[in-house]
Amino acid sequence: MSTCDLLLSLLSSSPSLPPFDPSSPSSNETQKSFQLETETTALDRFIIEHSGTYEFSQQPTFHQLFDRLVQARLLDKLWLDSAPKDHVLRILQSLRILTRDPVLQQKLISLQAIPVVAVFLTETTTSLFLDEEQPFLSDILVELTSIVNRLSPNDNFRLLLVQHNVHHSLALLLRTSHTTILRCVLEALVNLAESAVSLKALAELDCWDCLIDILESYDTQYKQLAAELVALLTTDSTARQKLRAMKCSNALVSLMYQAQDVSLLLSVVSAIEHSSIDMEAASEFRLLGLVNALLTYLTPVATVDIEAGTLLQAVISCLTQMSMDDETAFQIRQSNGVCLLGKLLISPPTLIIVPESSDFELTPESIALRQTQWKTN
């Protein structure tokens, strides 16, 4: 019998499996213990065997297993509250693996599982901040946020997730010190913010202090996700007001001077451009020295790769938006910005393709070096 068939048999024969009381010698409790151990072993086997599998919907057995895991475990409130946490974790790990398949994802809607996932996420988030040392709690949140992250790019799920306040739990989890949870949360929020349906709801959240902390203190991968989220949020006027109130502009300007990662810089420049739609923000960026920081990226070079070229376009677009403020436009002229832009118009850089395996770092110095190598080869 395959692991999938075994699990299906176990879930069908014992749909409700509360934890046993080890202090009770009854044969009933012994039977519960045996059933629990058998299901645990089967779940472990399933997780290992299908850790690299992404398509399940072609086989009816996986549809049946998914239905039983959702109906007999996830939707069973009594079971969910009373089962051992390590067993709940295994159920969620199995569901996370199965929801790699888009067809099975859609079954979460027909099975009405989204409200349950939302409530479970809220309760587990609250428990985490009450006692971060509870066994398996962080692991359970990793699985829950991973599932939410997988659903969040889909418009149908975005609407349901927001309707059931999943975004509120995600915003709270921005304060977690667990980096895997944080990455999943940021990715899910970015996916939600890409839709106008959910952007307005996200803009109402009070999470700017957390995003500023990430922009200032975390590693590049987290800064990049936070900056991308800020860039998306600042397309909303409410979010722009909150950004100014929380002095997030200071963190963005600092990154323009310090960051080396092109993807991070692209998100930062985009956030600055969107924020500068409000003239007060453009003026504030000017006072913080942003014009000179942006103009350093307009230094004429003969060649750029795709990412550097995209960054150059973003910087020019950002300066264009900021120049809607008269004093900022004057500073751009005073800082030789018009001359630099003119040189780029007359002699735009040539695009080069840098192999993905290259160790080439995109800085003005390394671009100049590549220019020299390109001319001599």
Side-chain angles (χ1 to χ4, degrees), residues 210-218 223 226-227 230 248 251-252 255:
C210 299
L211 292 175
I212 292 171
D213 183 52
I214 295 168
L215 290 172
E216 292 178 338
S217 308
Y218 279 68
K223 288 181 178 180
V230 172
C248 186
L252 294 174
L255 284 171

Side-chain angles (χ1 to χ4, degrees), residues 105-282:
Q105 288 179 18
Q106 293 298 324
K107 290 174 76 69
L108 288 173
I109 296 179
S110 61
L111 293 170
Q112 299 183 338
I114 300 300
V116 176
V117 171
V119 171
F120 193 20
L121 177 62
T122 299
E123 293 175 349
T124 311
T125 298
T126 301
S127 298
L128 179 73
F129 289 115
L130 289 174
D131 182 6
E132 292 190 8
E133 301 303 320
Q134 290 185 58
F136 303 107
L137 203 57
S138 294
D139 296 319
I140 287 173
L141 271 172
V142 168
E143 300 303 323
L144 284 170
T145 53
S146 295
I147 292 171
V148 169
N149 184 28
R150 185 162 292 135
L151 303 178
S152 58
N154 184 300
D155 277 333
N156 293 330
F157 285 113
R158 282 169 175 157
L159 181 59
L160 284 170
L161 292 172
V162 170
Q163 285 177 343
H164 293 286
N165 295 318
V166 167
H167 58 302
H168 287 286
S169 297
L170 295 176
L172 286 173
L173 285 170
L174 287 173
R175 303 180 186 278
T176 183
S177 58
H178 195 293
T179 54
T180 303
I181 296 174
L182 180 61
R183 186 178 67 251
C184 290
V185 166
L186 285 168
E187 290 174 351
L189 287 172
V190 167
N191 288 332
L192 289 174
E194 288 176 343
S195 168
V197 173
S198 46
L199 175 61
K200 182 63 68 174
L202 295 182
E204 299 290 340
L205 296 173
D206 292 321
C207 59
W208 288 103
D209 56 335
C210 299
L211 292 175
I212 292 171
D213 183 52
I214 295 168
L215 290 172
E216 292 178 338
S217 308
Y218 279 68
D219 292 340
T220 297
Q221 60 175 319
Y222 301 98
K223 288 181 178 180
Q224 198 278 321
L225 286 168
E228 188 176 355
L229 179 57
V230 172
L232 290 166
L233 289 173
T234 47
T235 59
D236 180 89
S237 58
T238 300
R240 290 197 297 271
Q241 293 173 4
K242 291 187 175 184
L243 179 144
R244 288 193 60 225
M246 292 298 299
K247 302 297 182 183
C248 186
S249 51
N250 293 333
L252 294 174
V253 173
S254 295
L255 284 171
M256 284 302 305
Y257 278 103
Q258 299 170 8
Q260 297 293 322
D261 182 81
V262 176
S263 296
L264 171 57
L265 286 168
L266 275 169
S267 295
V268 171
V269 172
S270 180
I272 292 170
E273 179 182 354
H274 296 158
S275 301
S276 296
I277 293 173
D278 298 332
M279 293 299 98
E280 295 86 352

Side-chain angles (χ1 to χ4, degrees), residues 297-301 312 316 339-349:
Y297 291 90
L298 301 187
T299 304
V301 293
L312 180 60
I316 294 172
C339 180
L340 290 172
L341 287 166
K343 289 180 179 179
L344 286 170
L345 286 171
I346 295 170
S347 181

